[in-house]
Amino acid sequence: MNYIQQAYKGQRDLWMVLLTTAIVGGVFLLNFIFYLFSDPSDLDAAYDMMKNWPANFSLVVNLVPFAVLLGLLFLLVKYVHQRSILSLTTARPKVDFKRVLFSFLMVCTFTLVTFFIGYSIDSSEIIFQFNPGKFALLFLISIILFPFQIGLEEYLFRGYLMQHIGVIVKNKWFPLILTSVLFGIAHSANPEVGAIGFWKMMIFYVGTGLLLGIMTLMDDGLELALGFHLGNNLLASLLVTADWTALQTDAIFKSTADPSMSLLSEILMPVLVVYPIMLLILSKRYGWKNWAERLFGKVTEPPKEDYKIIE
């Protein structure tokens, strides 16, 4: 059974899918509605209020709800859908933590190398603000809470929704595209969207969602997406902060650059060049084949004997 077919291992009534999506994903929908219908000045006021909070307190307030929602998702999958969390995670007999680590190290290496190359070329808009005490607390908060934040986003978008939408529509390409778009919309209320531009950031977020979705379908599991997302968000918290980003932290460096991103070099280059290179690296390491079938193939109901929940 492939990754999307894991949804057949539990109850799949439509009301269950709608209930779980509403309870767990409702906060993302509310954020999007708030973004669409709020006056820009109200959004700015909300962001300014959070900037007045201590950085680590603000980070905790922003991350704790993800832990609650991830717990709710797991409970609903286990007791409403009557499925194992393993079936939501991977098609393998057990979670492959080596895959998580490899993807984590891949994105961390790329981020650190590119940052320090840029810093060595021009550091005029980067301030070194390392404070051992504040950074130690930030590090502790980050390693404890960010796994819940990225876990919720991966298990909800690339896991639960990818699987159940795929079972409903009987193909793989539609859930891949839809969950990537929903992933972008879920980040629409982030302050950098207003600072940089809605369409620029949507290209980046949706492109990142496609990358993570392709990883998941090609590898038959969430492990690579979990590692990549965790590495990306941890470094976003620990390495560089800025006044106009969603994460206001006591990071090692602070950017004083204007909130702007080049469409070509900072949006399209990662999405169209860097991401495909990363997929190529992963495909060589894990021997991915049959790309057309894995990304665009049909989702068929497996034999009844395969429905037993893997413990």
Side-chain angles (χ1 to χ4, degrees):
M1 293 176 66
N2 62 41
Y3 181 69
I4 288 182
Q5 288 176 319
Q6 299 300 305
Y8 284 103
K9 293 181 176 179
Q11 301 297 322
R12 308 179 306 281
D13 293 350
L14 183 60
W15 71 265
M16 298 177 180
V17 178
L18 295 176
L19 176 68
T20 301
T21 302
I23 291 175
V24 180
V27 64
F28 296 108
L29 177 61
L30 290 175
N31 276 342
F32 182 58
I33 294 173
F34 179 71
Y35 173 81
L36 284 180
F37 295 101
S38 292
D39 188 286
S41 62
D42 293 334
L43 291 173
D44 291 338
Y47 299 146
D48 289 340
M49 180 186 70
M50 288 188 290
K51 288 178 184 179
N52 293 325
W53 296 349
N56 286 324
F57 174 74
S58 177
L59 185 63
V60 170
V61 168
N62 277 282
L63 293 182
V64 164
F66 288 94
V68 176
L69 290 172
L70 181 61
L72 282 173
L73 177 60
F74 284 172
L75 287 173
L76 289 164
V77 167
K78 185 71 175 178
Y79 295 105
V80 175
H81 289 279
Q82 299 178 25
R83 292 176 54 192
S84 69
I85 305 306
L86 178 63
S87 71
L88 192 65
T89 308
T90 184
R92 283 173 275 277
K94 61 181 181 179
V95 178
D96 188 345
F97 289 101
K98 290 183 179 179
R99 278 174 151 82
V100 178
L101 180 61
F102 181 83
S103 186
F104 176 87
L105 293 176
M106 180 181 69
V107 70
C108 286
T109 300
F110 171 79
T111 302
L112 290 170
V113 168
T114 53
F115 171 78
F116 283 108
I117 288 175
Y119 184 74
S120 65
I121 295 172
D122 181 9
S123 61
S124 60
E125 296 181 319
I126 300 291
I127 299 173
F128 181 73
Q129 61 167 23
F130 179 68
N131 180 302
K134 290 182 177 180
F135 182 80
L137 182 56
L138 169 64
F139 182 80
L140 184 62
I141 292 170
S142 297
I143 62 172
I144 292 174
L145 292 182
F146 267 108
F148 293 105
Q149 183 259 325
I150 67 98
L152 174 66
E153 293 186 0
E154 291 309 311
Y155 275 101
L156 177 60
F157 292 104
R158 256 68 62 182
Y160 183 83
L161 291 175
M162 180 92 80
Q163 288 181 339
H164 281 279
I165 293 171
V167 165
I168 291 170
V169 302
K170 304 298 184 184
N171 66 54
K172 300 172 183 177
W173 65 266
F174 183 78
L176 171 62
I177 294 174
L178 180 58
T179 56
S180 300
V181 172
L182 292 175
F183 181 70
I185 291 174
H187 292 81
S188 59
N190 286 5
E192 55 262 37
V193 174
I196 294 172
F198 179 83
W199 292 112
K200 281 185 178 180
M201 291 309 301
M202 285 304 103
I203 291 172
F204 181 76
Y205 285 134
V206 173
T208 302
L210 284 170
L211 168 74
L212 297 170
I214 291 170
M215 286 182 185
T216 302
L217 290 178
M218 290 303 302
D219 203 54
D220 270 336
L222 281 179
E223 293 98 332
L224 296 177
L226 287 167
F228 183 98
H229 203 158
L230 181 60
N232 180 80
N233 285 25
L234 274 180
L235 286 185
S237 171
L238 299 174
L239 186 60
V240 186
T241 188
D243 289 336
W244 45 269
T245 63
L247 295 177
Q248 303 289 314
T249 69
D250 295 310
I252 299 173
F253 298 93
K254 181 174 182 177
S255 172
T256 61
D258 292 333
S260 62
M261 294 179 71
S262 166
L263 178 62
L264 178 61
S265 63
E266 296 177 90
I267 301 292
L268 295 180
M269 184 67 72
V271 172
L272 299 180
V273 178
V274 177
Y275 287 176
I277 291 174
M278 289 181 171
L279 288 174
L280 179 62
I281 292 171
L282 294 173
S283 71
K284 296 298 183 183
R285 180 173 179 84
Y286 297 111
W288 293 348
K289 296 178 181 178
N290 301 323
W291 286 69
E293 168 59 28
R294 287 180 177 270
L295 298 181
F296 303 101
K298 295 181 179 180
V299 175
T300 58
E301 188 170 351
K304 296 292 185 181
E305 58 268 22
D306 291 341
Y307 279 32
K308 183 179 178 181
I309 295 176
I310 301 175
E311 301 292 349

